[in-house]
Amino acid sequence: MDRILSNQNSRVKAWKKLATKKGRQENRTYLLDGWHLVEEAIKASAKFHAVMATEEQMATHLPDVPHGVPAFEISDEVAKHIAGTNTPQGIFAEISLPDKTFDPTYVHDGAWLLLDNIQDPGNVGTLVRTADAAGFKGVVFGEGTADAYSPKVVRAMQGSQFHLEVLNGDLNEWADALTANNLSVYGSQLNESAQSYRAIEPSTQFALIVGNEGQGMSNELAEKTTTNLYIPIQGQAESLNVAIAGGILMFSLAAGN
């Protein structure tokens, strides 16, 4: 096993580049930070390129690393450098980005979450994790939405990317295709024709669109929905955080919750 003690090491520089979208796209890999995420990747049979850990973490977890995966012992300083935080857990993995295409015209079932220009990584990751918890089949990242495999989104998803479909797509095409396939497409927008989410019967086959933190979902998408929904607010707050609102809607709309 190689030991890496310097931030100037060529491998460390390559791992650090995975914090950028350009680095991930060029290398077709991304980084997991923490044993929970590494373990979820192992369970999902993800393709591993390397495991990197401090001496203590390596001694604890090396026996669980898939056979044949290159393992590197790193210093605490290298761990902080790779993670970009002062208190990393001390174990990382480099794994392949998913390589899949998905045609929405073939989607005939399941619950789907569509993210329209959601920019905050914490909100994005929380929405994916909540969709997983609510039994959704997949999440579609529309234009302007934070990259699914940026470090902050990956941390917030907490491994849920291994449990459901995480896709990039044109949300207008998705809305048209799902409607054509007789799936209800609900928007989260308050307008004159919007209904309270409580008026909708739970189902196992539908899509929910949630929109940008400041502007909400686009008007173009809002016109393509089956129904636009709102959440009645009893107190004096003007609005809800998009991840909170999305969670309320997901658990209310999905049958069985």
Side-chain angles (χ1 to χ4, degrees), residues 99-159:
D99 186 16
K100 66 175 74 173
T101 57
F102 211 96
D103 187 342
T105 59
Y106 294 103
V107 176
H108 294 275
D109 60 9
W112 294 83
L113 178 66
L114 279 55
L115 305 182
D116 179 27
N117 195 26
I118 308 290
Q119 297 176 352
D120 181 84
N123 285 336
V124 171
T126 299
L127 284 162
V128 174
R129 186 178 180 186
T130 306
D132 179 16
F136 274 51
K137 190 168 184 177
V139 181
V140 184
F141 286 56
E143 184 178 355
T145 297
D147 181 29
Y149 300 102
S150 70
K152 290 182 179 179
V153 174
V154 170
R155 282 195 291 270
M157 289 192 295
Q158 282 294 299

Side-chain angles (χ1 to χ4, degrees), residues 5-82:
L5 306 178
S6 171
N7 293 341
Q8 301 307 310
N9 181 279
S10 60
R11 290 186 181 275
V12 174
K13 291 180 179 180
W15 293 326
K16 183 66 176 177
K17 286 182 181 179
L18 298 181
T20 68
K21 186 172 184 178
K22 180 180 179 181
R24 292 189 294 275
Q25 291 178 334
E26 288 179 349
N27 213 41
R28 300 304 303 163
T29 62
Y30 72 104
L31 210 62
L32 302 176
D33 179 357
W35 174 246
H36 172 68
L37 297 183
V38 175
E39 186 177 34
E40 288 294 322
I42 293 171
K43 292 177 182 176
S45 300
K47 183 178 179 181
F48 280 74
H49 294 257
V51 169
M52 309 81 85
T54 60
E55 182 179 7
E56 179 182 0
Q57 291 291 321
M58 191 66 77
T60 301
H61 296 299
L62 184 59
D64 300 310
V65 173
H67 179 71
V69 175
F72 301 89
E73 184 181 312
I74 58 176
S75 66
D76 290 340
E77 286 304 311
V78 169
K80 291 179 182 179
H81 184 67
I82 294 172

Side-chain angles (χ1 to χ4, degrees), residues 82-102:
I82 294 172
T85 62
N86 289 324
T87 57
Q89 293 184 30
I91 184 166
F92 309 84
E94 181 186 359
I95 68 171
S96 289
L97 286 170
D99 186 16
K100 66 175 74 173
T101 57
F102 211 96

Side-chain angles (χ1 to χ4, degrees), residues 148-205:
Y149 300 102
S150 70
K152 290 182 179 179
V153 174
V154 170
R155 282 195 291 270
M157 289 192 295
Q158 282 294 299
S160 285
Q161 72 268 31
F162 300 117
H163 307 156
L164 40 60
E165 300 285 354
V166 174
L167 309 164
N168 293 312
D170 183 319
L171 299 193
N172 288 291
E173 292 181 2
W174 271 81
D176 289 339
L178 295 172
T179 301
N181 291 342
N182 297 315
L183 271 71
S184 295
V185 178
Y186 300 114
S188 54
Q189 185 182 75
L190 179 59
N191 55 39
E192 291 181 358
S193 60
Q195 297 183 39
S196 167
Y197 76 98
R198 297 190 180 112
I200 306 299
E201 286 294 323
S203 173
T204 58
Q205 302 181 35

